[in-house]
Amino acid sequence: MERGSFSSSKGSDSADFEVELTLSDKLKVFKSSQFDPDSYVTTRCRAMSEKEIRHLCIYLIDLKKASAEEMRTSVYANYASFIRTSREISDLEGELVSLKNLLSSRAKFVHSIADGVRMESLHDGTDNSSRTDDVTDFEDREPTSFDKWLSEFIETLEILLAERRVDEALAALEEGENIVEEAKNRPTFASSALVSLKKTIMEHRQKLADQLAEAVCQPSTSGVELRSAVQAMKRLGDGPRAHTLLLKSHQQKLQRDMQRLRPSIASYGTTYTTTLSHHVFSTIAQAASDSLAIFNDEPAFTSELVSWAVNQTEAFAVLIKKNVVAIPAASGCLRVVTDSVRVCFGHCLVLESHGLALSPTLFKIFRPCLEQALNANLKRIDLCTAAIAAADDWSLAYSPIGSRSLATGSVSSIVMSQPKLSSSAHRFNTMIQELCEDIGSLDILQYSEQSLEGVLLSFNSYINMMINAFPGSIETENLEGSGRRIVKMAESETQQIALLANALLLADELLPRATSKLWSCNKSQDQLRALNKQDRAPEQRELKRRLQRFVDQLRDSFCRQHALELIFTEDGGVRLGAEMYLSMDCSRDEPEWFPSPVYQELFAKLTRIATITSDMFVGRERFATVLLMRLTETVILWLSDDQNFWEEIEYGERPLGPLGLQQFYLDMEFVILFSSQGRYLSRNLHQVIKNIISRAIEAVQATKIDPYSELPEDEWFADVAQIAIKMLSGKANFGNTDRDMSSPTASVSARSVSSVHSHGST
C-alpha cells in the first residue's frame, strides 16, 4: 500500500482513500466540529475485512505522522512570528490586568454613588425632624462588627506589608477575597462596606506587588528569595510582569559577573572563554529552571524564555568573537579559534536538557570567524608547503619526531607506522592532520564538510606544485612572473617517482585518515565503528575517488614528460618518425634486424622505472603496474594519433616497403612482448598495436605489394624480440649458436647479435 493512500473493495466509505489528496484535504474530515470518532470508525469498518481494517489503521497512523510533521515544520517556519505573538499576548495580559484594576476602581465609585443616591431617596419622604433624629442616631451609632473587622484587617495588612511578611499578607488578601465572594452569594453586608473591602484588597494587592517587584530587582536578593517573590507575584495575578522581572534579575546578575571577569587585553584567551561561558550558560540554565518550576510549560512564558536565552547567547558570542576569536581567526590560528568555540558549544549543549537548543545561534555568530580561520590556515598550509618544496630534494624519508601527532608513543613504533615521504609532503601531511583534528573537535557537520573541500583544494595545489617539479614543466609553467610558485626540479627518475610516491601515499592512506577526524574526534570507539561502516562509507569512497583523480593528473604528467623525451630530441627533432621505416627499402645493405633505438630506449626506461617502483611502492604494486602501462600506452597512442607519421606512410612520395613494414612489425611485437612479460600489457594497448600494424600492412597493400608474402612467420618476430629483450637486459647467452647455425633460432640470434654490435658501433 502506498503511504498516504488506502483502498477498499467494499462500499463507498473508502472512496476518499482511493485518490491522492493533499494533507489538508485528508485532515479536513477530522477538523469538523461535528466529528465523532466512534461514528467514523463504525461507518468505515462496518463492511471491511480484517486485512482492510489493518490497512485503515496503517493509513491513520501515517496520517497522524504526516500531520505531526506538518505542525512541526509550520512551527519552525513561523517561530519568529510565534515568539512575537507570544510577547504581544503577554503584554496584552498585563494591560488586561491593569484594565481590570481600573474597572474595579471605577465600579467602586459607581456603587458608592448609587448607595448615596439610594440613602437620599429613603430620607426624601420624611420630615426634617425625622431626618435630624436619624442623623443623630447615625452619628451616635457604634461601629458594627464588620467595621471593626475591616479596621483590623486593614491594620493587619499594613503591618504585614511593612514587615515584608509576604506569605501571611497573601493569606490575608486571599481571606478578604473569600469574604467578598461569600458576600456576593449571600448579601449579608452593605454594598458600601463591600466596596470598601474590595478597594482595600485591591490597593494592598498592588502595594504588595510593587514591593515584591522592587525586591526582585535588588542585587542582594538571593536565589531562594527571588523565586519566592516571583511565585508570590504570580499568585497576585501579575504573572507576565513576574516572569519578565525574573529574567531581568538573572540578566543583571550575569552582567555583574561579566564585569567582574573582564580582564586586561593580554588575558583574553581560552581560560577567559571557559569561565565566561560557564557563567553565561549556567545563568541561562538557572533561569530556565526557575521559569519551568514557577510557570510550568505555559507557551507565553516559554517563548519569552527562549527569546531571552537567544539574546543572551548572541551577546555572549559577540563578546567572545570580539575579544578572543577575531584576531586569531584573521591570522590563521585555527587551534585558538576552535578551542574557544568548542568550549562554548560544550557548555551550550548542557542546556538541551532544558529544551533550549542554542547551538545554531552560536554557530551563526562564530561561523564567519571559523571560515576566516579555516581559509587563512589553508593558505598558510599552501605557503609553508611551497616554501619547503622550493628546497625539497625529493628524497623519501621517515617523518621527523616532534609533530603534534607524534607526541606520544615509542620511537620505534612511530618509525614503523610512519610512511616515507619527502620533506614538503611530510610538512603538508602534518599540517593537514592538525587542521582536521582541530575542526573535528567541534563536531559541526556543515563546517566539517567545508573543511573537507578545503583539504581537497590544498591537495590539488600540492599536486600542481609537484607537476611543476617535472623538468618538462619547468620551462613552460614555472617562469618568473607567471604567478606559479617556484619549486625545486626533480631531475632524476628516482626523484620524479618520489613525487608519485608522495601523491599516492597521501591520497591512498594519509588524507583519508586525516579527514576521518573531521567527524570522529568526539565519538566513542563503538560510535566510530558504526560511523565508518555505515554513515561515512559513501563519503569515504567519494573522497578516495576525488583524491585518486588528482594522483592520476600527476601520473599522466609523468608519463607525458617521459614519452616526449623518447619521441623528440632536445633540439626539437622527431625520433619516432616515418623516415626511419621509409628509408630502409632505399638501402642496398641487408638490414640488421633488431628493435629500433627509440623502442630500445623505451624498454630500458620502463625497466629502470620498474626497478625503482618495486622499492618505493611496496604493498602498492598495482600502482606501479598501472604507471608502466600508462607510460607505454602514451608512447603507442601518440604514434597511433600522429597524423604526420601516417600521412608520410600512406600518402608520401616514398611508399612504405616490405623491409620498412618488417621493421615496424618487429618494433610492435617487441613492445607487446616486453609489456606482456612485465605484466603491464593492457587490452587497450594490445588492441591499439594490432590496429596500427593492420594500418601499416594496408599501406603496403596499396602499393600493389603482397605484404604477407614478404613478411616472415610470426615465430620469427617473437624470437627476435625475445633475443633483444635478453640482450638489452644483460641476460643473453648465445654460446650454443655456433653448433647449429642451420636452425632458424640460431640464425636469427647470430644476425641479431651482429645487429646489436652494429648498433653499438654507430
Side-chain angles (χ1 to χ4, degrees):
M1 185 182 64
E2 296 286 334
R3 174 178 287 271
S5 65
F6 177 78
S7 62
S8 174
S9 61
K10 295 181 181 182
S12 61
D13 295 334
S14 61
D16 55 335
F17 297 101
E18 296 175 356
V19 295
E20 292 294 336
L21 301 174
T22 64
L23 182 61
S24 177
D25 293 335
K26 294 176 184 177
L27 296 176
K28 189 178 298 182
V29 64
F30 302 102
K31 296 179 180 178
S32 174
S33 59
Q34 286 114 15
F35 176 72
D36 183 6
D38 295 332
S39 174
Y40 178 83
V41 173
T42 303
T43 303
R44 300 287 174 180
C45 301
R46 183 186 300 119
M48 289 184 179
S49 64
E50 181 181 354
K51 181 178 180 181
E52 292 169 336
I53 292 174
R54 285 200 301 269
H55 288 176
L56 176 60
C57 293
I58 294 173
Y59 169 79
L60 293 175
I61 291 173
D62 291 344
L63 193 59
K64 178 182 177 182
K65 293 179 180 178
S67 176
E69 179 63 22
E70 184 189 40
M71 182 180 69
R72 185 181 69 82
T73 305
S74 178
V75 169
Y76 287 158
N78 302 282
Y79 193 66
S81 301
F82 178 70
I83 291 177
R84 184 174 61 256
T85 305
S86 300
R87 286 181 184 169
E88 294 174 355
I89 292 174
S90 299
D91 296 339
L92 184 60
E93 288 178 350
E95 294 175 359
L96 288 175
V97 171
S98 301
L99 183 60
K100 178 182 177 183
N101 295 335
L102 180 61
L103 291 175
S104 298
S105 63
R106 293 292 184 270
K108 293 176 189 176
F109 290 116
V110 172
H111 286 302
S112 299
I113 294 172
D115 291 341
V117 171
R118 188 164 49 251
M119 291 177 66
E120 289 178 0
S121 65
L122 290 174
H123 292 296
D124 285 343
T126 62
D127 55 10
N128 293 335
S129 60
S130 300
R131 186 181 296 111
T132 304
D133 292 339
D134 291 340
V135 172
T136 304
D137 292 340
F138 180 78
E139 291 176 353
D140 295 340
R141 181 171 58 85
E142 293 185 0
T144 63
S145 59
F146 179 77
D147 294 334
K148 294 179 180 179
W149 177 86
L150 181 59
S151 177
E152 293 177 357
F153 178 73
I154 295 174
E155 183 179 357
T156 301
L157 282 177
E158 293 291 346
I159 293 173
L160 292 176
L161 292 179
E163 296 180 356
R164 298 184 181 275
R165 292 153 64 181
V166 178
D167 292 336
E168 297 179 37
L170 287 172
L173 290 172
E174 290 173 355
E175 180 184 355
E177 291 175 347
N178 292 334
I179 293 175
V180 172
E181 292 296 327
E182 291 177 1
K184 290 180 181 179
N185 299 328
R186 294 182 302 167
T188 57
F189 302 110
S191 58
S192 60
L194 191 60
V195 169
S196 178
L197 177 58
K198 289 181 178 179
K199 180 180 179 181
T200 299
I201 292 175
M202 185 183 65
E203 290 177 351
H204 285 82
R205 178 185 291 275
Q206 187 63 41
K207 190 180 296 184
L208 178 58
D210 293 340
Q211 190 180 89
L212 290 171
E214 182 182 357
V216 168
C217 296
Q218 293 297 321
S220 58
T221 303
S222 65
V224 176
E225 294 172 341
L226 174 64
R227 289 186 289 274
S228 177
V230 172
Q231 181 71 44
M233 291 184 69
K234 182 187 176 187
R235 289 175 60 185
L236 289 171
D238 204 1
R241 182 186 178 194
H243 191 263
T244 301
L245 290 175
L246 171 67
L247 299 180
K248 183 178 179 181
S249 175
H250 283 292
Q251 181 177 353
Q252 291 174 345
K253 177 179 178 295
L254 177 60
Q255 290 175 348
R256 291 192 297 271
D257 291 341
M258 293 172 67
Q259 288 292 334
R260 288 195 296 268
L261 287 173
R262 189 181 298 276
S264 63
I265 296 179
S267 301
Y268 286 121
T270 306
T271 303
Y272 169 73
T273 303
T274 303
T275 307
L276 184 59
S277 177
H278 173 73
H279 278 283
V280 170
F281 291 110
S282 61
T283 300
I284 295 176
Q286 185 61 54
S289 178
D290 292 345
S291 175
L292 182 63
I294 299 173
F295 299 94
N296 297 323
D297 290 329
E298 296 183 33
F301 301 127
T302 302
S303 298
E304 185 180 13
L305 172 65
V306 171
S307 178
W308 176 82
V310 169
N311 291 336
Q312 301 308 309
T313 304
E314 287 180 347
F316 159 74
V318 169
L319 183 63
I320 295 298
K321 175 182 175 182
K322 176 182 177 182
N323 294 332
V324 180
V325 174
I327 296 177
S331 60
C333 297
L334 187 61
R335 169 53 67 97
V336 176
V337 176
T338 55
D339 282 349
S340 298
V341 175
R342 185 180 67 254
V343 167
C344 297
F345 273 98
H347 288 113
C348 180
L349 291 176
V350 179
L351 294 176
E352 291 187 358
S353 60
H354 296 276
L356 294 174
L358 300 176
S359 298
T361 303
L362 280 179
F363 184 63
K364 181 182 69 175
I365 303 297
F366 288 135
R367 180 174 180 174
C369 287
L370 288 171
E371 292 178 349
Q372 184 183 24
L374 173 62
N375 294 332
N377 198 264
L378 291 172
K379 184 177 181 180
R380 185 164 62 90
I381 290 175
D382 292 344
L383 293 176
C384 290
T385 306
I388 298 177
D392 199 339
D393 60 358
W394 306 114
S395 61
L396 303 183
Y398 291 110
S399 174
I401 307 299
S403 63
R404 187 198 306 175
S405 59
L406 304 178
T408 58
S410 63
V411 175
S412 59
S413 62
I414 291 173
V415 171
M416 292 298 295
S417 63
Q418 289 299 309
K420 296 177 70 174
L421 300 169
S422 69
S423 57
S424 61
H426 275 303
R427 183 59 175 166
F428 177 81
N429 175 50
T430 300
M431 298 183 75
I432 291 294
Q433 296 279 347
E434 293 175 355
L435 179 142
C436 294
E437 289 176 5
D438 294 340
I439 295 173
S441 64
L442 295 178
D443 199 17
I444 303 175
L445 177 61
Q446 183 178 357
Y447 192 48
S448 296
E449 292 175 348
Q450 183 178 355
S451 303
L452 177 60
E453 293 299 321
V455 170
L456 290 172
L457 288 176
S458 289
F459 183 60
N460 185 30
S461 176
Y462 185 56
I463 289 292
N464 291 331
M465 200 180 305
M466 290 193 290
I467 290 175
N468 291 338
F470 288 132
S473 60
I474 286 291
E475 298 175 359
T476 58
E477 300 180 5
N478 213 19
L479 299 176
E480 294 184 3
S482 64
R484 297 179 180 269
R485 298 185 180 92
I486 303 299
V487 296
K488 188 173 182 179
M489 185 173 62
E491 298 178 350
S492 66
E493 291 176 346
T494 302
Q495 290 176 319
Q496 294 167 14
I497 296 174
L499 299 176
L500 296 172
N502 283 340
L504 179 62
L505 288 174
L506 287 169
D508 193 45
E509 178 180 345
L510 300 178
L511 291 184
R513 183 194 304 168
T515 54
S516 66
K517 300 175 184 177
L518 293 174
W519 294 277
S520 63
C521 283
N522 296 326
K523 294 178 173 61
S524 63
Q525 292 298 323
D526 294 337
Q527 290 174 323
L528 283 179
R529 283 192 289 268
L531 185 68
N532 292 332
K533 291 181 180 179
Q534 300 176 6
D535 298 337
R536 307 308 313 177
E539 288 84 351
Q540 285 291 327
R541 287 194 296 269
E542 177 61 22
L543 171 65
K544 287 191 175 183
R545 281 195 293 268
R546 296 178 66 180
L547 292 172
Q548 187 59 46
R549 284 197 290 268
F550 296 138
V551 178
D552 291 345
Q553 293 177 11
L554 183 65
R555 182 200 62 204
D556 293 343
S557 297
F558 173 87
C559 295
R560 183 168 55 252
Q561 175 216 336
H562 284 273
L564 294 177
E565 288 180 356
L566 289 170
I567 296 169
F568 297 98
T569 61
E570 294 182 358
D571 57 0
V574 179
R575 301 173 62 188
L576 184 56
E579 181 64 24
M580 58 188 291
Y581 299 111
L582 298 176
S583 61
M584 293 188 67
D585 289 277
C586 299
S587 176
R588 297 181 179 179
D589 298 331
E590 182 182 359
E592 298 177 351
W593 299 112
F594 205 75
S596 300
V598 63
Y599 294 104
Q600 296 179 40
E601 188 171 344
L602 173 62
F603 171 75
K605 182 181 288 290
L606 290 170
T607 303
R608 292 194 304 271
I609 292 175
T611 302
I612 297 171
T613 54
S614 64
D615 296 331
M616 288 192 183
F617 298 110
V618 177
R620 293 178 173 84
E621 288 78 9
R622 174 172 173 74
F623 181 83
T625 301
V626 173
L627 175 64
L628 298 172
M629 185 188 306
R630 290 289 181 268
L631 177 54
T632 309
E633 288 180 352
T634 302
V635 175
I636 300 302
L637 287 174
W638 185 92
L639 176 63
S640 174
D641 298 334
D642 185 10
Q643 296 299 325
N644 294 330
F645 178 88
W646 290 106
E647 285 179 1
E648 292 186 35
I649 292 291
E650 296 172 338
Y651 309 110
E653 296 179 357
R654 289 182 298 171
L656 178 65
L659 297 180
L661 176 62
Q662 185 173 347
Q663 181 64 49
F664 184 80
Y665 201 122
L666 174 60
D667 290 339
M668 295 301 102
E669 287 294 332
F670 177 62
V671 173
I672 291 176
L673 186 59
F674 71 67
S675 299
S676 175
Q677 292 180 356
R679 300 182 183 276
Y680 49 87
L681 176 64
S682 65
R683 293 181 180 179
N684 180 53
L685 175 62
H686 191 267
Q687 186 61 45
V688 170
I689 292 177
K690 291 299 183 183
N691 291 341
I692 61 178
I693 290 176
S694 299
R695 188 173 180 180
I697 291 175
E698 291 173 358
V700 174
Q701 286 177 332
T703 62
K704 308 302 182 180
I705 297 177
D706 182 11
Y708 298 103
S709 63
E710 300 291 338
L711 292 175
E713 298 295 330
D714 291 342
E715 290 79 4
W716 182 87
F717 292 104
D719 290 341
V720 174
Q722 183 63 48
I723 292 171
I725 291 174
K726 289 183 178 181
M727 295 182 66
L728 292 173
S729 58
K731 300 178 181 178
N733 182 11
F734 302 116
N736 298 327
T737 58
D738 294 336
R739 293 180 299 178
D740 189 7
M741 291 299 296
S742 62
S743 66
T745 303
S747 176
V748 168
S749 301
R751 294 171 62 188
S752 298
V753 170
S754 63
S755 175
V756 170
H757 289 304
S758 176
H759 284 301
S761 62
T762 58

